[in-house]
Amino acid sequence: MSAAATTDHARRPAAPVIAGLLLAAGGGRRLGGRPKALLPYRGRPLVENAVRVLREAGCGPLHVVLGASAAEVRERADLTGCVVVDNPDWAEGMGSSLRVGLASLAGTEAHAALVSLVDQPGIGPAAVARVREAYRSPASLVAASYDGERGHPVLFGADRWADIAATATGDKGARVHLTRHAADLMLVECGDIAEAFDIDTPADLARLA
């Protein structure tokens, strides 16, 4: 390689680090108290599928927030290569898990966190990658949309983490921040490549077959 080529290579900006943040703490209250992370999916715990999706979409590092039956999830699920953190306050709602997850990313090299939910197996790597590729700066605010309706996954540039953590309470997650900064939000249509259903009730379990 010539000196000029070496210099040109050195000047290229490094690819942004987009961490995958999987919220997998739910206790499955409407499923009779079955932790969502451990629901069977293609012969393995559902949490493994969610991790695979983030990895195949190019996200990394991968941080997983556990809550309900955390010890059992650690024992039964293969979370190799993930930073696994426990949310002792998981019963308070998604907001507490989001705060724990963002805190675990503080001090890392991540430029943004791409947040996904464990109970949405209809969202695969293609949709996640589409949202990840919409990153532009540490101020980025991106969400997948389905027929124009905002959904998951969502991407939060690192400059937004502190405010999101400060306003994430109960089951609202990042909705307060998203509402306040609606003008900044980039929606990425994913309805053509994904289905954004949740596994919330016993009737929904048929979707895991």
mmCIF file of all heavy atoms in Angstrom, residues 44 56 68 77 87 92 101 109 117-118 147-148 151 154 177 201:
data_model
loop_
_atom_site.group_PDB
_atom_site.id
_atom_site.type_symbol
_atom_site.label_atom_id
_atom_site.label_comp_id
_atom_site.label_asym_id
_atom_site.label_seq_id
_atom_site.Cartn_x
_atom_site.Cartn_y
_atom_site.Cartn_z
ATOM 1 N N ARG A 44 -35.826 -22.938 21.495
ATOM 2 C CA ARG A 44 -34.899 -22.241 22.389
ATOM 3 C C ARG A 44 -35.626 -21.079 23.064
ATOM 4 O O ARG A 44 -36.686 -20.649 22.612
ATOM 5 C CB ARG A 44 -33.684 -21.688 21.613
ATOM 6 C CG ARG A 44 -32.801 -22.754 20.975
ATOM 7 C CD ARG A 44 -32.179 -23.666 22.003
ATOM 8 N NE ARG A 44 -31.395 -22.902 22.983
ATOM 9 C CZ ARG A 44 -30.958 -23.404 24.134
ATOM 10 N NH1 ARG A 44 -31.243 -24.650 24.466
ATOM 11 N NH2 ARG A 44 -30.246 -22.654 24.963
ATOM 12 N N GLU A 56 -27.168 -10.080 13.998
ATOM 13 C CA GLU A 56 -27.174 -10.200 12.542
ATOM 14 C C GLU A 56 -27.445 -8.864 11.859
ATOM 15 O O GLU A 56 -27.078 -8.681 10.692
ATOM 16 C CB GLU A 56 -28.195 -11.244 12.104
ATOM 17 C CG GLU A 56 -27.806 -12.661 12.501
ATOM 18 C CD GLU A 56 -28.776 -13.710 11.986
ATOM 19 O OE1 GLU A 56 -29.718 -13.349 11.248
ATOM 20 O OE2 GLU A 56 -28.585 -14.895 12.330
ATOM 21 N N ALA A 68 -37.448 -10.434 35.564
ATOM 22 C CA ALA A 68 -38.180 -11.586 36.076
ATOM 23 C C ALA A 68 -37.382 -12.869 35.838
ATOM 24 O O ALA A 68 -36.904 -13.120 34.726
ATOM 25 C CB ALA A 68 -39.543 -11.680 35.398
ATOM 26 N N ALA A 77 -30.554 -19.738 29.029
ATOM 27 C CA ALA A 77 -30.359 -19.096 27.725
ATOM 28 C C ALA A 77 -28.881 -18.885 27.440
ATOM 29 O O ALA A 77 -28.094 -18.574 28.338
ATOM 30 C CB ALA A 77 -31.092 -17.758 27.681
ATOM 31 N N ASN A 87 -32.174 -5.900 36.304
ATOM 32 C CA ASN A 87 -32.983 -4.776 36.753
ATOM 33 C C ASN A 87 -33.815 -5.244 37.951
ATOM 34 O O ASN A 87 -34.844 -5.897 37.764
ATOM 35 C CB ASN A 87 -33.905 -4.290 35.641
ATOM 36 C CG ASN A 87 -34.880 -3.233 36.133
ATOM 37 O OD1 ASN A 87 -34.675 -2.618 37.177
ATOM 38 N ND2 ASN A 87 -35.942 -3.016 35.373
ATOM 39 N N GLU A 92 -41.606 -2.395 37.975
ATOM 40 C CA GLU A 92 -42.075 -1.022 37.825
ATOM 41 C C GLU A 92 -42.432 -0.688 36.380
ATOM 42 O O GLU A 92 -43.096 0.312 36.125
ATOM 43 C CB GLU A 92 -41.006 -0.042 38.323
ATOM 44 C CG GLU A 92 -40.745 -0.121 39.827
ATOM 45 C CD GLU A 92 -39.682 0.873 40.261
ATOM 46 O OE1 GLU A 92 -39.192 1.645 39.392
ATOM 47 O OE2 GLU A 92 -39.338 0.873 41.445
ATOM 48 N N GLY A 101 -30.481 -0.195 31.303
ATOM 49 C CA GLY A 101 -29.747 -0.487 30.077
ATOM 50 C C GLY A 101 -28.889 0.667 29.610
ATOM 51 O O GLY A 101 -27.718 0.479 29.239
ATOM 52 N N GLU A 109 -17.949 2.987 24.205
ATOM 53 C CA GLU A 109 -17.663 3.734 22.984
ATOM 54 C C GLU A 109 -18.892 3.897 22.095
ATOM 55 O O GLU A 109 -18.796 4.444 20.993
ATOM 56 C CB GLU A 109 -16.554 3.034 22.202
ATOM 57 C CG GLU A 109 -15.209 2.993 22.942
ATOM 58 C CD GLU A 109 -14.137 2.315 22.124
ATOM 59 O OE1 GLU A 109 -14.461 1.732 21.072
ATOM 60 O OE2 GLU A 109 -12.960 2.373 22.528
ATOM 61 N N LEU A 117 -37.246 -5.006 21.874
ATOM 62 C CA LEU A 117 -38.004 -5.693 22.908
ATOM 63 C C LEU A 117 -37.966 -7.196 22.657
ATOM 64 O O LEU A 117 -38.054 -7.650 21.511
ATOM 65 C CB LEU A 117 -39.454 -5.205 22.915
ATOM 66 C CG LEU A 117 -39.653 -3.689 22.995
ATOM 67 C CD1 LEU A 117 -41.140 -3.355 23.014
ATOM 68 C CD2 LEU A 117 -38.959 -3.116 24.222
ATOM 69 N N VAL A 118 -37.889 -7.970 23.726
ATOM 70 C CA VAL A 118 -37.723 -9.414 23.587
ATOM 71 C C VAL A 118 -38.939 -10.095 22.987
ATOM 72 O O VAL A 118 -38.814 -11.169 22.379
ATOM 73 C CB VAL A 118 -37.382 -10.039 24.960
ATOM 74 C CG1 VAL A 118 -38.604 -10.052 25.872
ATOM 75 C CG2 VAL A 118 -36.799 -11.431 24.807
ATOM 76 N N ASP A 147 -46.787 1.121 8.661
ATOM 77 C CA ASP A 147 -47.884 1.878 8.040
ATOM 78 C C ASP A 147 -47.987 3.275 8.645
ATOM 79 O O ASP A 147 -49.077 3.784 8.908
ATOM 80 C CB ASP A 147 -49.202 1.129 8.202
ATOM 81 C CG ASP A 147 -49.205 -0.202 7.458
ATOM 82 O OD1 ASP A 147 -48.560 -0.274 6.387
ATOM 83 O OD2 ASP A 147 -49.822 -1.164 7.947
ATOM 84 N N GLY A 148 -46.820 3.865 8.900
ATOM 85 C CA GLY A 148 -46.755 5.235 9.398
ATOM 86 C C GLY A 148 -46.867 5.380 10.897
ATOM 87 O O GLY A 148 -46.705 6.488 11.420
ATOM 88 N N GLY A 151 -43.107 2.536 16.044
ATOM 89 C CA GLY A 151 -42.976 1.294 16.785
ATOM 90 C C GLY A 151 -41.535 1.033 17.169
ATOM 91 O O GLY A 151 -40.752 1.965 17.340
ATOM 92 N N VAL A 154 -36.137 1.248 18.284
ATOM 93 C CA VAL A 154 -35.845 2.683 18.264
ATOM 94 C C VAL A 154 -34.352 2.877 18.476
ATOM 95 O O VAL A 154 -33.692 2.037 19.093
ATOM 96 C CB VAL A 154 -36.639 3.446 19.345
ATOM 97 C CG1 VAL A 154 -38.115 3.466 19.023
ATOM 98 C CG2 VAL A 154 -36.413 2.823 20.721
ATOM 99 N N HIS A 177 -39.762 11.468 26.017
ATOM 100 C CA HIS A 177 -38.724 12.097 25.193
ATOM 101 C C HIS A 177 -39.147 12.133 23.729
ATOM 102 O O HIS A 177 -38.964 13.153 23.054
ATOM 103 C CB HIS A 177 -37.413 11.323 25.336
ATOM 104 C CG HIS A 177 -36.263 11.956 24.627
ATOM 105 N ND1 HIS A 177 -35.453 12.910 25.205
ATOM 106 C CD2 HIS A 177 -35.802 11.810 23.351
ATOM 107 C CE1 HIS A 177 -34.541 13.295 24.343
ATOM 108 N NE2 HIS A 177 -34.736 12.651 23.208
ATOM 109 N N THR A 201 -50.461 -12.043 25.453
ATOM 110 C CA THR A 201 -51.553 -12.843 26.003
ATOM 111 C C THR A 201 -51.399 -14.298 25.572
ATOM 112 O O THR A 201 -50.660 -14.600 24.620
ATOM 113 C CB THR A 201 -52.908 -12.319 25.518
ATOM 114 O OG1 THR A 201 -53.020 -12.568 24.104
ATOM 115 C CG2 THR A 201 -53.051 -10.817 25.777
#
